Amino acid sequence: MGTIREELQIFVRRFGLLNASCCDECCGEQVSMVQSHILFEIRRMGRPSMQQVAEELGMDVTTFSRQAKSLEGKGLITRQISPDDRRVSLLGLTAGGREVLKKIDRYMTATLERVFSHMSGFERDTVVRSLELLNEAVAKTGDDASPQEGKIACCN
C-alpha cells in the first residue's frame, strides 16, 4: 500500500477521468464538467446566491459569473435579483437544468455501481463512511487553515 498522499492522488486522477467523460457520454456537449458541478450545487443548496456557489466550488466570482451566464444562455439556470438585497443574484434550475442533472445522476449512479460492484457490501459501507469522515475532516481543516470553508490552503 502506498502513502496516503499517493493513494489520494491516484484516486482523484482515476475518478476525475471517469467523471470527465460523464458530460460527453450522458448529455452530449451541452455542459462541461465545471458546469455540471455548478448545476449540482444549485440543486443541493436550493436557491443560492452566485457568491455562495462560487465559494463552495472554490471559484473566483468573475470566472463563476461567465460559467453561470453560459448556463443561463443554454436555458439551464435562472438568475433572479434577491428581494432582500438587490446586489445579490439568486440561482435556480430550469426544467432543462433539472433534466440534464437527471441524466448526469443516472450516468454517475451507474458508474459508481460499476466501481462498487468489485466490493462486498461491508467494503462499500466502509468506503462510504470513510469518505464522510474524510470530508468532515477536510472541512474542519479548511476552517482552520483557509478563509474559504472546506478548502485547504496550499502554497501560501
Side-chain angles (χ1 to χ4, degrees):
M1 182 163 151
T3 66
I4 293 172
R5 179 165 186 244
E6 238 181 314
E7 294 298 327
L8 283 172
Q9 286 287 134
I10 293 168
F11 171 77
V12 167
R13 184 177 60 246
R14 285 180 180 162
F15 193 75
L17 291 173
L18 289 174
N19 201 11
S21 66
C22 169
C23 298
D24 293 340
E25 292 180 24
C26 72
C27 53
E29 299 290 332
Q30 194 169 13
V31 294
S32 68
M33 186 167 50
V34 168
Q35 290 173 337
S36 74
H37 287 284
I38 292 169
L39 294 172
F40 180 86
E41 289 303 327
I42 293 170
R43 178 180 63 190
R44 189 178 70 83
M45 298 170 109
R47 297 271 307 157
S49 70
M50 288 182 57
Q51 182 71 30
Q52 288 173 310
V53 179
E55 285 178 9
E56 182 65 24
L57 294 174
M59 296 175 74
D60 69 85
V61 177
T62 303
T63 301
F64 180 83
S65 183
R66 280 194 301 270
Q67 293 291 337
K69 187 174 184 173
S70 174
L71 288 168
E72 188 177 27
K74 294 175 183 180
L76 301 178
I77 67 169
T78 60
R79 284 196 283 184
Q80 186 177 34
I81 301 298
S82 169
D84 300 328
D85 184 346
R86 298 195 53 76
R87 298 169 296 173
V88 175
S89 291
L90 300 176
L91 302 174
L93 295 174
T94 64
R98 287 188 295 275
E99 188 56 38
V100 166
L101 268 176
K102 282 182 191 174
K103 291 177 183 177
I104 293 170
D105 288 344
R106 283 192 294 268
Y107 177 87
M108 291 306 297
T109 297
T111 298
L112 290 170
E113 287 300 324
R114 282 194 310 276
V115 169
F116 281 118
S117 72
H118 301 283
M119 297 180 194
S120 69
F122 174 77
E123 289 169 328
R124 177 186 179 134
D125 292 345
T126 301
V127 168
V128 171
R129 181 63 185 136
S130 297
L131 286 171
E132 290 169 351
L133 291 169
L134 186 59
N135 278 326
E136 290 169 12
V138 168
K140 288 175 186 173
T141 302
D143 289 345
D144 296 341
S146 170
Q148 288 185 324
E149 180 182 336
K151 307 293 186 287
I152 298 175
C154 179
C155 307
N156 288 336

